[in-house]
């Protein structure tokens, strides 16, 4: 019989001791690192939650970086917008100042300030965050606005605003300097005033005439081109009798000339002399009326009209809302009157309506949407045949979504659209569409800038697309859609923010335009009407820089991006809370309790000591002792 030796390494006790040692090593690692294990396999059954939590933490870290970057852009944009507000207030304060002292360049101090502020505003609009232009929409790598000098003075190949302004002023004033009005005396007892061309967008437009002149006959305004006449019929008016003529200016404002018959000597300003010769000759009174009317028209043309012309030149150059224009065919009223928004789309003679007009069953298709004419009871995309031109324009505007309503002004229909490329209008009744002034179909939009259509400008009767020969002031993205949507960021799993901006937004564009007009306009320092021109322009610029109900404001843009910032702040707060909770889950799944580990180490050390003692005794066994 043989007895095998006791082998420690292969014994149960040896194996147990090795296991205890390994456990002690693991527990020591846990105690030093605070982690249950250095690999996923040793983490236990809850490690799946920890892995998912760590993934969510990674997403939160990415969102945090995005929020930080977007906040930088928003803060820079908000600072820029606040600068624009400061610039607006500075120029508005200057334009509202009644002081009109002109320097050698024919400008006031306020105008010089405006010119400098225009350059500042251009610089602000070209603000960058890194290599991103903040006011270029989606065209983040493109400068938002052309250089200030190029915008005002032009380049070697393209005209700037100064040229457009001069052309428009010449076209509105006309060669005679009377606002494109032709004044004559058809007979010795009468005076007639007429617009020089039908459908021209330039000059003064005769709106209304009223008279208390005893014995006089007033005709019009009517005809094409529009005119009115006053015939004293060989009768002297009474002292204090009055003739009033109201004109519409290119910017849509109205001005009225009042001339009072007077026997005073000298004849007061705004009056005309009643003939006092013996015998009395009323034809001399008519001549005096003609002279007074000529003086008043000339003054109006060289003051308010010049200012209005500058404002409209700014619109022609800066306003990116595109338009289609047409001059309606004269209506069929017994006594023709100018086409207005109230003119009907159909009607039997005599009536204030276009001719030929629309009939039930006719259609007009706007950008693919069809409007149908019915006899009465129109609903939805329908129009009554007796509805007004303005009602039709309202329907068209609803379809195009224009930010600038279409108008009837000075006998001309203007259909505005924010997207020139998309405007397309056709009709089943081309004759009626032609009566609205749109002789060729489809009707499409002209893209500004608009320029005087022929030379010399003083006799021009049209505006034409000047894109090829005129500086483009806005260089960024100008596609359809909200400017805010041109910059978007995901800041949470289900939350995105929009914070884009464009320099051609209405509030920004109107301010840049008004400041450019005020800072560019100049007049003759010693001119007879220079003070009146600057005064009339200052009034209009002050009005343009005053926020009007329904118009976008700089503050509205700031509010929009502030809302994006608040949304990010809320998301960040939620993420901070979620981050703490996720970290707790991970810690619970992966962290080792120091107290528990220390207790387990102590227990294992006791077990290991007992094992060593037992092993020691076993190691001293001999065959004799064993037996």
């Amino acid at each position: 019989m043989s007895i095998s030796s006791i082998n420690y390494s292969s014994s149960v006790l040896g194996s147990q001791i090795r296991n205890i040692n390994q456990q002690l090593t693991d527990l020591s690692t846990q105690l030093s690192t605070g982690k249950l294990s250095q690999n996923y396999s040793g983490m236990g059954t809850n490690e799946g939650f920890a892995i998912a939590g760590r993934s969510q933490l990674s997403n939160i870290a990415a969102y945090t970086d995005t929020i930080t970057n977007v906040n930088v852009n928003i803060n820079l944009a908000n600072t820029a917008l606040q600068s624009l507000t400061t610039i607006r207030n500075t120029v508005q304060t200057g334009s509202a100042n009644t002081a009109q002292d002109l320097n050698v360049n024919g400008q006031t101090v306020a105008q010089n300030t405006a010119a400098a502020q225009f350059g500042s505003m251009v610089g602000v609009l070209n603000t960058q965050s890194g290599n991103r232009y903040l006011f270029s929409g989606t065209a983040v790598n493109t400068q938002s606005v052309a250089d200030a000098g190029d915008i005002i003075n032009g380049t070697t190949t393209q005209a700037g605003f100064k040229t457009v302004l001069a052309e428009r002023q010449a076209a509105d004033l006309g060669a005679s300097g009377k606002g494109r009005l032709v004044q004559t005396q058809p007979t010795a007892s009468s005076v007639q005033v007429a617009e020089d061309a039908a459908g021209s967008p330039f000059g003064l437009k005769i709106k209304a005439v009223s008279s208390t002149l005893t014995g006089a006959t007033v005709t019009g305004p009517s005809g094409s081109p529009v005119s009115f006449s006053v015939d004293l019929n060989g009768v002297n008016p009474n002292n204090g009798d009055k003739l009033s003529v109201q004109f519409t200016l290119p910017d849509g404002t109205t001005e009225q000339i009042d001339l009072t018959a007077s026997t005073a000597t000298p004849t007061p300003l705004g009056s005309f002399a009643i003939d006092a010769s013996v015998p009395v000759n009323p034809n001399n009174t008519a001549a005096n009326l003609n002279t007074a009317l000529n003086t008043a028209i000339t003054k109006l043309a060289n003051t308010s009209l010049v200012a209005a012309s500058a404002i409209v030149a700014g619109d022609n150059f800066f306003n990116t809302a595109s338009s289609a224009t047409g001059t309606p065919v004269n209506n069929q009223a017994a006594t023709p009157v100018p086409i207005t928004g109230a003119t009907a789309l159909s009607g039997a003679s005599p009536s204030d309506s276009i001719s030929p007009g629309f009939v039930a069953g006719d259609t007009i298709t706007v950008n693919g949407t069809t409007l149908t004419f019915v006899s009465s009871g129109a609903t939805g995309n329908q129009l009554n045949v007796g509805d007004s031109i303005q009602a039709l324009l309202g329907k068209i505007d609803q379809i195009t979504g224009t930010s600038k309503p279409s108008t009837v002004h000075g006998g001309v229909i203007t259909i505005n659209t924010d997207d020139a490329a998309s405007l397309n209008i056709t009709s089943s009744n081309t004759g009626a569409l032609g009566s609205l002034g749109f002789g060729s179909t489809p009707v499409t939009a002209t893209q500004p800038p608009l320029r005087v259509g022929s030379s010399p400008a003083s006799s021009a009767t049209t505006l034409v697309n000047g894109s090829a020969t005129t500086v483009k002031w806005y260089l960024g993205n100008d596609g359809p859609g909200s400017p805010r949507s041109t910059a978007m960021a995901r800041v949470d799993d289900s939350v995105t923010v929009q914070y884009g901006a464009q320099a051609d937004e209405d509030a920004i564009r109107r301010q840049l335009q008004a400041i450019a007009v005020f800072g560019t306009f100049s007049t003759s320092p010693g001119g007879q009407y220079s003070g009146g021109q600057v005064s009339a322009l200052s009034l209009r610029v002050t009005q343009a820089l005053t926020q009007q109900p329904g118009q976008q404001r700089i503050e509205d843009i700031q509010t929009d991006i502030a809302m994006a910032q608040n949304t990010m702040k809320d998301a960040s707060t939620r993420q901070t809370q979620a981050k703490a909770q996720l970290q707790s889950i991970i810690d619970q799944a992966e962290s080792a309790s120091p107290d528990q580990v220390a207790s387990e180490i102590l227990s294992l050390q006791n077990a290991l000591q007992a094992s060593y003692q037992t092993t020691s005794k076993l190691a001293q066994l001999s065959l004799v002792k064993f037996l």
Side-chain angles (χ1 to χ4, degrees):
M1 176 181 180
S2 63
I3 298 175
S4 300
S5 65
I6 298 174
N7 189 326
Y8 167 78
S9 62
S10 61
S11 69
V12 174
L13 282 173
S15 176
Q16 184 178 359
I17 290 172
R18 288 195 304 275
N19 183 45
I20 291 173
N21 276 325
Q22 183 60 50
Q23 290 182 59
L24 282 171
T25 300
D26 291 343
L27 288 171
S28 296
T29 302
Q30 290 179 16
L31 190 62
S32 63
T33 64
K35 300 294 184 183
L36 288 176
S37 176
Q38 299 306 300
N39 52 63
Y40 287 131
S41 63
M43 288 294 186
T45 58
N46 290 330
E47 181 57 19
F49 295 108
I51 293 173
R54 194 171 280 107
S55 175
Q56 288 178 279
L57 284 176
S58 177
N59 289 340
I60 289 175
Y63 291 141
T64 300
D65 289 342
T66 298
I67 289 172
T68 299
N69 292 334
V70 172
N71 267 322
V72 169
N73 290 340
I74 287 180
N75 288 335
L76 284 172
N78 186 61
T79 299
L81 291 169
Q82 192 58 47
S83 296
L84 297 185
T85 300
T86 301
I87 290 171
R88 180 190 70 206
N89 294 338
T90 299
V91 176
Q92 187 178 35
T93 299
S95 64
N97 191 336
T98 56
Q100 305 297 343
D101 296 330
L102 299 175
N103 61 21
V104 293
N105 296 318
Q107 290 190 315
T108 65
V109 172
Q111 287 181 278
N112 285 336
T113 299
Q117 293 294 341
F118 177 81
S120 298
M121 189 171 178
V122 168
V124 168
L125 292 175
N126 284 325
T127 296
Q128 289 179 272
S129 177
N131 60 353
R132 176 192 183 94
Y133 286 94
L134 296 179
F135 292 94
S136 290
T138 57
V140 294
N141 296 319
T142 302
Q143 182 173 313
S144 307
V145 178
D147 294 339
D150 290 346
I151 293 174
I152 300 302
N153 300 312
T155 66
T156 55
T157 59
Q158 294 180 310
F161 174 60
K162 185 177 291 185
T163 299
V164 173
L165 177 64
E167 290 175 349
R168 177 80 205 208
Q169 181 174 316
D172 281 317
L173 266 178
S176 66
K178 296 201 298 182
R180 305 296 292 268
L181 296 178
V182 178
Q183 186 174 340
T184 58
Q185 276 197 277
T187 67
S189 65
S190 65
V191 176
Q192 183 181 60
V193 178
E195 297 172 15
D196 69 346
S200 169
F202 306 118
L204 297 167
K205 303 300 177 186
I206 304 168
K207 183 178 182 180
V209 180
S210 61
S211 168
T212 61
L213 299 177
T214 302
T217 300
V218 176
T219 304
S222 60
S224 181
V226 176
S227 67
F228 75 90
S229 63
V230 180
D231 194 335
L232 298 185
N233 295 313
V235 178
N236 259 349
N238 295 323
N239 188 54
D241 288 354
K242 184 181 294 184
L243 173 69
S244 298
V245 186
Q246 196 172 64
F247 296 96
T248 302
L249 280 63
D251 63 350
T253 59
T254 58
E255 296 274 353
Q256 182 167 300
I257 290 174
D258 294 314
L259 296 175
T260 303
S262 176
T263 57
T265 303
T267 305
L269 186 67
S271 302
F272 63 95
I274 300 172
D275 181 64
S277 60
V278 181
V280 171
N281 186 352
N283 289 346
N284 291 339
T285 304
N288 294 337
L289 172 62
N290 183 59
T291 300
L293 186 58
N294 180 75
T295 299
I297 289 175
T298 301
K299 180 180 179 181
L300 177 62
N302 283 276
T303 53
S304 294
L305 174 63
V306 169
S309 177
I311 295 295
V312 175
D315 208 49
N316 294 158
F317 184 87
F318 287 96
N319 193 351
T320 56
S322 309
S323 63
T325 59
T327 304
V329 175
N330 200 13
N331 56 45
Q332 54 186 2
T335 302
V337 296
I339 293 290
T340 68
T343 299
L345 296 166
S346 180
S349 179
S351 67
D352 179 15
S353 61
I354 61 172
S355 179
F358 292 95
V359 299
D362 286 346
T363 60
I364 288 181
T365 302
V366 182
N367 296 355
T369 298
T370 299
L371 301 171
T372 303
F373 285 89
V374 296
S375 298
S376 61
T379 59
N381 286 335
Q382 293 180 332
L383 285 160
N384 298 314
V385 292
D387 283 345
S388 67
I389 291 177
Q390 196 61 58
L392 171 61
L393 296 182
K395 290 285 188 180
I396 293 174
D397 287 349
Q398 288 178 11
I399 295 171
T400 63
T402 178
S403 60
K404 182 178 181 181
S406 300
T407 62
V408 183
H409 172 63
V412 177
I413 294 176
T414 302
I415 299 175
N416 292 312
T417 174
D418 292 343
D419 184 6
S422 69
L423 186 67
N424 186 292
I425 301 176
T426 59
S427 176
S428 63
N429 188 337
T430 55
L433 190 63
S435 296
L436 291 172
F438 303 104
S440 59
T441 56
V443 177
T444 56
T446 301
Q447 178 71 41
L450 298 176
R451 299 282 296 276
V452 175
S454 59
S455 182
S458 58
S459 59
T461 57
T462 59
L463 285 166
V464 297
N465 186 339
S467 300
T469 57
T470 313
V471 169
K472 181 178 173 62
W473 72 272
Y474 175 65
L475 306 177
N477 166 68
D478 57 1
S482 166
R484 236 52 78 232
S485 66
T486 59
M488 302 176 64
R490 183 172 295 280
V491 296
D492 206 347
D493 289 341
S494 58
V495 179
T496 59
V497 294
Q498 299 181 351
Y499 60 97
Q502 294 180 187
D504 67 341
E505 291 189 54
D506 193 50
I508 299 173
R509 188 270 307 165
R510 281 187 290 105
Q511 178 174 323
L512 186 71
Q513 176 179 321
I515 293 174
V517 169
F518 196 49
T520 303
F521 180 87
S522 64
T523 186
S524 172
Q528 178 183 359
Y529 302 108
S530 297
Q533 290 176 2
V534 176
S535 179
L537 180 64
S538 297
L539 180 65
R540 284 167 167 78
V541 169
T542 301
Q543 181 72 12
L545 293 174
T546 300
Q547 303 304 312
Q548 303 298 323
Q551 290 182 336
Q552 185 195 42
R553 304 175 303 162
I554 298 290
E555 292 81 357
D556 294 333
I557 303 174
Q558 290 180 290
T559 299
D560 287 346
I561 62 176
M563 289 175 62
Q565 230 169 3
N566 287 336
T567 299
M568 291 190 297
K569 182 179 179 180
D570 292 342
S572 182
T573 300
R574 292 193 303 271
Q575 290 163 6
T576 299
Q577 295 171 347
K579 185 177 179 180
Q581 294 171 350
L582 290 168
Q583 191 60 56
S584 177
I585 291 173
I586 294 171
D587 290 343
Q588 289 176 8
E590 296 182 347
S591 298
S593 169
D595 294 338
Q596 181 179 348
V597 171
S599 177
E600 290 178 3
I601 288 175
L602 182 59
S603 175
L604 286 174
Q605 285 175 337
N606 292 335
L608 182 61
Q609 184 178 3
S611 296
Y612 277 141
Q613 289 174 350
T614 302
T615 302
S616 175
K617 290 179 180 179
L618 289 175
Q620 296 174 7
L621 283 178
S622 63
L623 179 59
V624 175
K625 290 180 179 181
F626 177 76
L627 293 175

